[in-house]
Amino acid sequence: NPSLVENDEVFTKFVSSILGSIATILTFVIALLIYKDRKDSISIKKTEFSITKLILIGVGLGIIMILWNFVISYVYSIIGLDFRSGNTESIAESLKYNKLLIFNLLVAAPIGEEIAFKYGIFTFFHEIFQDKGIFLKVILPAFVSAFTFAVIHDGLYLVPLYIVPSFIGCLIYKNTSSLLPCVLGHFLNNFLALIMTLYN
């Protein structure tokens, strides 16, 4: 019976979407707990930037992310590549069954992912190469963090879309000693993506 098969597919998508949301929230909570006890060379420094400057930098990063999205979509269309994000399409599909995903997109992902990739991966390699030159201490860790972030989101196909803003975010984190601009930029990008998904 085709209707039973369709209902079974809907139920499976619903359950997997809910389980994915719960996993994201648990990861978010764990990331917050880890973030509390930071003792690395970047985060032990108190930021010298005012909250206003951090917010402005975050808004700037969000604008860069959004503009970069348009640049990459344009370049992909020129060279005849399809610019559809599997990550975005699966989110759009899951939103039909799971409104908890809105919290994940706007809160858990911006905070949890920035902790994981900036404080986690970037800082891990930054500390290993602490006594080395700028390339090993900053550029390489930023690249590894950004590349990992890109691959996790959409595989190798859309690495150019994610890697540049994520790389810039690592440099911002290093220079401000604050995750606030990265989280805010990530939030603004996800917020626009959510609006476009809901009204497309």
Side-chain angles (χ1 to χ4, degrees):
N1 186 334
S3 66
L4 287 178
V5 171
E6 187 179 322
N7 288 338
D8 191 42
E9 276 183 33
V10 168
F11 179 74
T12 302
K13 287 178 181 176
F14 170 75
V15 170
S16 63
S17 176
I18 293 293
L19 290 175
S21 292
I22 292 169
T24 302
I25 291 168
L26 287 175
T27 306
F28 166 66
V29 171
I30 292 166
L32 285 179
L33 293 173
I34 292 170
Y35 186 66
K36 284 175 59 179
D37 297 321
R38 303 173 301 155
K39 292 185 174 66
D40 60 273
S41 63
I42 299 173
S43 54
I44 58 170
K45 297 178 191 167
K46 188 168 170 52
T47 186
E48 297 174 4
F49 291 78
S50 68
I51 189 76
T52 305
K53 283 185 181 174
L54 291 173
I55 290 171
L56 288 174
I57 294 168
V59 169
L61 179 60
I63 291 169
I64 288 170
M65 289 176 170
I66 292 162
L67 291 177
W68 187 247
N69 196 308
F70 289 116
V71 168
I72 294 298
S73 67
Y74 180 70
V75 170
Y76 269 48
S77 68
I78 286 177
I79 58 179
L81 294 175
D82 186 10
F83 182 72
R84 277 184 297 181
S85 163
N87 182 52
T88 303
E89 286 182 355
S90 69
I91 288 170
E93 181 68 20
S94 295
L95 277 169
K96 296 175 187 174
Y97 316 106
N98 178 13
K99 299 308 179 199
L100 185 61
L101 200 54
I102 293 173
F103 173 81
N104 287 355
L105 282 170
L106 300 182
V107 180
I111 296 173
E113 288 180 359
E114 294 306 324
I115 291 172
F117 289 95
K118 304 303 186 290
Y119 172 63
I121 295 174
F122 173 74
T123 304
F124 175 77
F125 287 104
H126 179 273
E127 295 302 291
I128 288 175
F129 299 116
Q130 183 61 11
D131 301 324
K132 309 297 179 189
I134 191 84
F135 177 79
L136 286 177
K137 187 168 71 171
V138 178
I139 305 299
L140 181 63
F143 176 80
V144 171
S145 174
F147 182 78
T148 307
F149 179 82
V151 169
I152 283 173
H153 277 75
D154 256 312
L156 292 173
Y157 186 70
L158 286 179
V159 161
L161 174 64
Y162 296 98
I163 197 168
V164 170
S166 187
F167 185 89
I168 293 169
C170 288
L171 301 183
I172 289 172
Y173 172 57
K174 168 72 174 75
N175 287 298
T176 62
S177 297
S178 172
L179 279 178
L180 177 61
C182 302
V183 170
L184 182 56
H186 199 146
F187 165 82
L188 291 172
N189 181 70
N190 285 11
F191 180 73
L192 180 66
L194 178 64
I195 295 299
M196 291 175 72
T197 300
L198 290 175
Y199 292 99
N200 253 351

